[in-house]
Amino acid sequence: MKVELLRYTPDGEKLVASAAKLCYSPVGISDIEEGQDEKKVRSFLKLLMDLGHESPIEHVSFTFGIEGVSRTLTHQLVRHRIASFSQQSQRYVRLAQFEYVIPPHIESDPESKRIFVEAMEADQKAYDKISKILYEKHYNRYIDEGRKDKDARQRAEKEAIEDARYVFPNACETKIVVTMNARSLMNFFALRTCNRAQWEIRDLAIQMLREVKEVYPVLFSHAGPGCVNGPCPEGEMTCGKIVEVREFFKNLDEEIAAEAASE
């Protein structure tokens, strides 16, 4: 898995502080902006986050490049509605040798892994055979219709692989660009860094959290699973590891702070 923060709103913490102050200020936006220095921004933003006043943080957005993840993960990811997604298309991109993600419990069990890899190889062979059959069928049809060779080939290729892709598994590796505002990210982190989230999207969420904490530590000072800032919201479904979870995210903050101090 590779996660990269591609773009984010510049001066985002200052922007959030200014937007929040505007709600309670009789002066104009420019005057508020001019009166903000780094110390004031961090102090006010900390107060804002402590109070849980989240609407102003919607003004800040983040775009991530994500690679080496499965379609199982992206099926879960796109359920987060207030976001924008651009995913590698299996309809337009021929996967001559698709990559795949092996779950850790399967990876660690030799017999399970053998069966899994055989299934992946069988899917690739089926895809290759089906796409070849369909390509020839569509190509001949377009030629019979009087289309030029280049046009017939392009149309036949697209139609062949868009149907052949149905044999690919959820394990199939994919790439996606994701943009979320800070409030949507806070919700995403609360749900997907939780121990009850599936392992792959939890790993993704933690990597994304690390990325945003490195650029805007105050804004995301309370980000993480619900139990980091209060009781576990999962009720009877709790993992029962609240102490270990809090320690993990505390160590993550300290690690990021140490890295920032050393730069």
Side-chain angles (χ1 to χ4, degrees), residues 61-64 82-86 177-181 184-185:
S61 64
F62 303 80
T63 298
F64 301 86
I82 312 301
S84 300
F85 305 98
S86 298
V177 172
V178 181
T179 300
M180 293 187 189
N181 68 44
S184 291
L185 275 172

Side-chain angles (χ1 to χ4, degrees), residues 79-92:
R79 291 175 183 166
H80 294 269
R81 306 295 178 84
I82 312 301
S84 300
F85 305 98
S86 298
Q87 185 170 11
Q88 184 186 63
S89 173
Q90 292 179 346
R91 188 182 182 196
Y92 294 99

Side-chain angles (χ1 to χ4, degrees), residues 36-107:
Q36 300 266 47
D37 58 30
E38 185 176 349
K39 184 177 180 180
K40 289 181 180 178
V41 166
R42 293 178 71 87
S43 175
F44 183 75
L45 196 59
K46 183 180 182 305
L47 174 64
L48 203 68
M49 295 300 97
D50 288 346
L51 293 173
H53 184 26
E54 293 188 343
S55 62
I57 74 176
E58 294 178 15
H59 296 292
V60 181
S61 64
F62 303 80
T63 298
F64 301 86
I66 301 166
E67 300 180 42
V69 296
S70 72
R71 287 202 165 238
T72 296
L73 182 150
T74 57
H75 292 335
Q76 297 175 66
L77 181 61
V78 297
R79 291 175 183 166
H80 294 269
R81 306 295 178 84
I82 312 301
S84 300
F85 305 98
S86 298
Q87 185 170 11
Q88 184 186 63
S89 173
Q90 292 179 346
R91 188 182 182 196
Y92 294 99
V93 179
R94 174 180 282 275
L95 301 182
Q97 182 55 63
F98 80 93
E99 301 293 331
Y100 48 86
V101 176
I102 305 179
H105 288 303
I106 294 178
E107 178 74 49

